[in-house]
Amino acid sequence: MNPTLTTIGLLCLSNIFMTFAWYGHLKSLGSKPWIIAALVSWGIALFEYLLQVPANRIGYTVMNLGQLKILQEVITLSLFVPFAYFYMKEPLKLDYLWAGLCILGAVYFIFRSEFN
């Protein structure tokens, strides 16, 4: 299987877990003590790491560290916006578009040597 596609797939899955670990407790555990939310988040984060570590190891065979990081940020924003809108019921903001355009610029600069 293509290492780039495998990396992207694993990072997408890991990021879904991490988004819920970082932010899901704000909605679902808001009335619980913070320590409970932290323990639940750590439990969710374990699954994130079980996907993220192999993703980065596989990705590092075809990308450099900066490229892996920018790829992660693109995936993070791409998954965070639907999470915020659909799960957290946050309104869509134009700022998400501007942030996305900034990250698109980062993608260009970090991967431009691949296109020359």
Side-chain angles (χ1 to χ4, degrees):
M1 182 173 249
N2 182 319
T4 301
L5 294 178
T6 301
T7 299
I8 290 169
L10 288 171
L11 286 176
C12 285
L13 292 171
S14 75
N15 201 280
I16 290 168
F17 280 106
M18 204 59 194
T19 300
F20 276 94
W22 281 19
Y23 305 108
H25 66 87
L26 297 172
K27 179 177 180 181
S28 60
L29 297 173
S31 62
K32 303 286 186 198
W34 73 267
I35 190 71
I36 300 297
L39 292 172
V40 169
S41 292
W42 284 345
I44 295 169
L46 170 65
F47 294 104
E48 185 267 342
Y49 280 103
L50 292 174
L51 297 166
Q52 175 266 337
V53 170
N56 283 328
R57 285 177 173 238
I58 293 166
Y60 196 60
T61 66
V62 293
M63 288 179 258
N64 65 43
L65 192 61
Q67 290 170 331
L68 276 172
K69 182 58 182 170
I70 294 302
L71 177 61
Q72 175 62 42
E73 296 304 326
V74 167
I75 291 168
T76 297
L77 187 61
S78 298
L79 294 173
F80 177 77
V81 172
F83 170 84
Y85 182 73
F86 290 111
Y87 184 76
M88 297 296 290
K89 306 295 186 209
E90 296 278 328
L92 287 179
K93 298 179 181 177
L94 200 52
D95 289 342
Y96 293 142
L97 174 63
W98 304 136
L101 290 174
C102 289
I103 290 177
L104 188 60
V107 168
Y108 169 76
F109 287 113
I110 205 74
F111 284 97
R112 72 179 161 170
S113 64
E114 304 295 320
F115 302 115
N116 292 330

